[in-house]
Amino acid sequence: MQNVRVRTLRVFGAAAAVAAAAVLGLAGQASAGVSGPAFYADGALYRTVGTPTDLSRTGAPDHAWDILYSFGDAQLKVAEAAPGDTGYNGGRWQVHELAFPAGYAAAVTNGDLDGDGVLGSALEVRAAMTAGSAVDTGVVKQFECPAIPLHN
């Protein structure tokens, strides 16, 4: 009789563990998902699929990443590369935070080469940095997620 109880408890314990793993798995999937417009690359909008990756401590060399410039809440991020670009690293991103010593508007004034009101390419971000109105404060995160073009 004791063996039956032990086996029953093991079965219920295993079932509870499987159920908990399933719930945690669903919770992880709920936080992931296809986004709306997420960033610019070469002036075009891209969306992504959120993944729970954090590759910040992998020690991978800088050339293994594409830069994704973060503007805080000022505008969408800007990627230096996208699918089809030479040297694109397949969605491995190194996020560089930007600061704006004279404000975001000054960075747009100095970097918006196509006149659309945002910095929509790495070329425009670099123009704002060259002018001193945007400053790369360094890497804040490294992760992986796909880049999916948004077609209007």
Side-chain angles (χ1 to χ4, degrees):
M1 190 64 146
Q2 184 70 14
N3 282 343
V4 171
R5 280 188 179 163
V6 169
R7 272 189 253 142
T8 301
L9 288 174
R10 284 184 185 154
V11 168
F12 282 124
V18 169
V23 168
L24 290 174
L26 290 176
Q29 287 176 355
S31 66
V34 178
S35 72
F39 63 89
Y40 294 99
D42 302 323
L45 280 171
Y46 283 77
R47 62 185 176 150
T48 188
V49 177
T51 60
T53 59
D54 180 1
L55 305 175
S56 298
R57 292 174 182 79
T58 63
D62 285 345
H63 67 80
W65 309 96
D66 289 315
I67 294 174
L68 190 62
Y69 294 105
S70 176
F71 294 75
D73 293 332
Q75 73 161 61
L76 294 177
K77 292 174 177 61
V78 172
E80 72 172 358
D85 290 349
T86 302
Y88 175 63
N89 286 302
R92 288 181 301 281
W93 304 105
Q94 189 177 67
V95 181
H96 287 240
E97 190 72 36
L98 297 176
F100 308 100
Y104 170 73
V108 172
T109 297
N110 291 315
D112 184 15
L113 303 175
D114 60 8
D116 65 355
V118 296
L119 302 179
S121 69
L123 181 65
E124 291 183 334
V125 171
R126 285 192 291 276
M129 288 193 291
T130 299
S133 56
V135 176
D136 184 340
T137 64
V139 178
V140 294
K141 187 174 183 179
Q142 294 171 311
F143 65 96
E144 182 177 31
C145 71
I148 305 163
L150 259 175
H151 300 289
N152 296 331

